[in-house]
Amino acid sequence: MAAGPIADGELAGLFSAIEGPEHLSFQVETGWSKTSAQNHNLERRSDSVRSNSALGAVGLAVSGGPDSTALMHLYARWRDKAPAPRAIVLTIDHGLRPQSASEAASVADAAQRLGFPCEILRWQGAKPTTGIQEAAREARRRLLAEAATKHALDAILTAHTEDDQAETLLMRLARGSGLDGLAGISERNEFDGVVFLRPLLGLAKARLVATLDASGIAYVSDPSNSNPRFERSRLRSTAPMLDALGLTADSVALSARRLGRARRALDELTGRFASESVEVSALGVATLDLDRLAGMPDEIAVRLAQRLCAAVGGDAEPAGLAKIEELTHWLNEAESGGRTLARSLIKIARTDSSRQAIFLREMGRSPPGEAMLVPGITILWDGRFQVRLEKGAAEVRVVPGLALTGAAKQDDWALVHTPGFDAAPFLLRDTTLLGSPLDAVHAAISGVTFRFLGHSTIFGTPAAASETQK
């Protein structure tokens, strides 16, 4: 495989997923809730992004390492030759090494020289002593998603490569992962309603390094990449032996791509089955027809159960495959009862005509909290709802139904008996109830719109991003 620098003629292919502000080619879910108490099923639609002043913008996740530095420079070259979305560079000061602040500042300087605005995102608070790389990935993902919402970005671009893809497959193989794990890193997925794209996933790291070296572009080498304390570093140290066995990065990545093709087909089938067997209320409660589930192949049933738990629980850490498989077996066999998993409460109920499973947000160990809505800002509430307050509107509080005062509850007693009431978002100003996803009209009068992210998780593509910045 050629390991030379990336030529200008390759740039259009690399960034084909975002063809420019006139016609961004990827799809973004725009289904803000407009449902009433009489119609709890959320509308689903994907609208092509239209060109206007608020759209056509992306974020470039840049750490200062060779891969992300190459992403930034390649994007600048492409931008100078073709219509491209406006881009902002996002870099993270993780605070894990003394040099992290100066490295972030260097990225900001380099971005500005290329004509990109840059924001430094800081991982605040105490850092864990174990599982540090996993915690850092989660923090990066969260910070990038928050920045995307803040800057109204249509997507975040990250610099994962073919080498990352191969390493991910091998690490997951060692853990006994299923098809989804072995399919590796996706070219596109979502987290907290934010689209993540990986345009360099088909390129070898050596080509990115060659591109930088050919132009004399400096980059940072993170010492943790060769620290044997970390699994990925230990795997990299075995690369010569794996190459000798034929397990080269490009051959392993080829397997990941082929498995990814199977994953996409299964995801499509799962979405189709979900549209026939699942109803979702405006409060984020999902009802599954278990009689239909019993007739489906095990793989589709497992995938749907996984989606439902992720959507209803809103937990950033998905449940393990073994637990989902156990849950799926129980759904097929049990006549009644309840279980909890990944912040979800699952109840089986039988009507005269069918068996149903109701998935609700569990209120036990980590109930939803309260938040203040500031005008012009969109927040992620409880990992499940995006809540937006228009500019010029007065501040309001978002609280779970369980926290409503007695006076507020008495304004509409019917709400109290609605499934999912306790865990759903409601708007309060002082003690006055202003609206909820059940009553989007009244909420809109106060300038508030709701979007239940779990809707696209269940019926579209799962919203778990594996990694977001190198």
Side-chain angles (χ1 to χ4, degrees):
M1 177 181 292
I6 296 166
D8 287 346
E10 298 177 76
L11 298 176
L14 288 180
F15 297 108
S16 60
I18 44 172
E19 298 175 5
E22 293 86 355
H23 48 284
L24 290 177
S25 64
F26 55 87
Q27 304 286 303
V28 176
E29 288 285 335
T30 58
W32 291 86
S33 172
K34 296 182 180 179
T35 49
S36 65
Q38 289 73 37
N39 180 15
H40 293 180
N41 287 331
L42 292 176
E43 297 178 359
R44 284 182 288 131
R45 74 178 192 274
S46 292
D47 293 339
S48 295
V49 175
R50 298 179 303 276
S51 175
N52 59 46
S53 59
L55 297 176
V58 298
L60 307 178
V62 181
S63 68
D67 301 350
S68 59
T69 298
L71 171 66
M72 180 171 64
H73 282 268
L74 291 170
Y75 194 94
R77 283 167 52 186
W78 178 61
R79 174 204 61 193
D80 294 342
K81 295 179 179 298
R86 175 176 60 85
I88 177 174
V89 169
L90 303 170
T91 189
I92 294 174
D93 176 4
H94 48 67
L96 297 175
R97 293 183 285 105
Q99 303 89 346
S100 65
S102 62
E103 289 171 358
S106 295
V107 169
D109 290 342
Q112 289 166 5
R113 287 195 298 272
L114 291 170
F116 295 120
C118 180
E119 182 175 2
I120 298 175
L121 312 174
R122 290 180 171 83
W123 183 15
Q124 307 282 7
K127 309 300 189 297
T129 56
T130 60
I132 186 65
Q133 287 200 321
E134 292 79 5
R137 278 195 294 271
E138 175 61 30
R140 288 193 292 267
R141 183 170 61 177
R142 173 179 52 80
L143 289 168
L144 290 169
E146 290 173 355
T149 299
K150 172 184 174 182
H151 294 287
L153 303 178
D154 295 320
I156 298 287
L157 275 61
T158 70
H160 293 86
T161 67
E162 182 180 78
D163 299 63
D164 298 310
Q165 183 72 286
E167 291 165 3
T168 298
L169 186 152
L170 291 172
M171 289 191 297
R172 292 178 179 175
L173 183 64
R175 300 188 190 114
S177 293
L179 174 65
D180 281 3
L182 297 180
I185 305 169
S186 299
E187 293 181 355
R188 177 198 188 278
N189 57 13
E190 296 181 24
F191 173 75
D192 285 355
V194 175
V195 176
F196 285 83
L197 299 173
R198 301 174 180 87
L200 309 184
L201 200 56
L203 290 176
K205 181 186 185 76
R207 294 204 65 201
L208 301 180
V209 173
T211 301
L212 297 177
D213 290 345
S215 299
I217 299 169
Y219 52 86
V220 173
S221 295
D222 186 343
S224 68
N225 288 335
S226 57
N227 188 338
R229 171 186 174 191
F230 302 120
E231 179 186 17
R232 194 175 288 270
S233 300
R234 294 193 298 272
L235 182 62
R236 286 172 182 162
S237 70
T238 67
M241 181 176 63
L242 293 174
D243 288 351
L245 295 172
L247 292 172
T248 60
D250 58 322
S251 66
V252 175
L254 175 61
S255 291
R257 287 194 294 274
R258 287 169 170 165
L259 289 166
R261 184 174 62 204
R263 176 175 61 187
R264 289 190 295 273
L266 289 168
D267 280 342
E268 174 68 21
L269 292 174
T270 303
R272 292 181 187 179
F273 175 59
S275 68
E276 299 169 354
S277 60
V278 177
E279 293 184 358
V280 180
S281 81
L283 297 187
V285 176
T287 302
L288 169 63
D289 185 331
L290 292 178
D291 293 331
R292 286 180 175 268
L293 186 74
M296 293 305 297
D298 290 346
E299 180 66 21
I300 302 300
V302 167
R303 285 171 175 274
L304 182 55
Q306 192 168 39
R307 289 187 183 197
L308 290 168
C309 285
V312 170
D315 196 349
E317 186 65 30
L321 181 57
K323 291 184 177 180
I324 292 292
E325 290 169 338
E326 183 182 350
L327 172 66
T328 307
H329 177 75
W330 175 75
L331 289 172
N332 277 318
E333 298 296 328
E335 289 295 322
S336 61
R339 288 194 172 191
T340 61
L341 181 61
R343 301 203 317 178
S344 298
L345 170 63
I346 306 101
K347 299 178 180 179
I348 291 181
R350 178 175 285 281
T351 67
D352 292 340
S353 58
S354 67
R355 281 173 65 243
Q356 296 179 334
I358 303 172
F359 289 70
L360 307 98
R361 169 71 161 88
E362 182 196 8
M363 295 294 288
R365 286 166 288 186
S366 56
E370 299 186 9
M372 183 63 70
L373 276 183
V374 178
I377 298 297
T378 300
I379 66 168
L380 176 67
W381 187 82
D382 194 42
R384 299 180 295 137
F385 287 87
Q386 279 184 347
V387 190
R388 180 173 61 191
L389 180 61
E390 299 298 336
K391 293 181 180 179
E395 289 187 353
V396 294
R397 273 194 306 148
V398 185
V399 303
L402 187 66
L404 291 177
T405 65
K409 286 184 180 182
Q410 290 173 9
D411 288 341
D412 198 339
W413 275 106
L415 290 176
V416 180
H417 301 289
T418 304
F421 167 84
D422 284 350
F426 289 84
L427 307 177
L428 278 184
R429 186 171 292 127
D430 297 326
T431 59
T432 302
L433 181 61
L434 301 178
S436 72
L438 279 175
D439 192 355
V441 173
H442 280 86
I445 292 172
S446 300
V448 179
T449 47
F450 297 91
R451 179 189 175 201
F452 177 55
L453 298 179
H455 203 259
S456 59
T457 302
I458 296 169
F459 299 103
T461 55
S466 57
E467 293 180 273
T468 53
Q469 185 187 25
K470 287 179 67 348

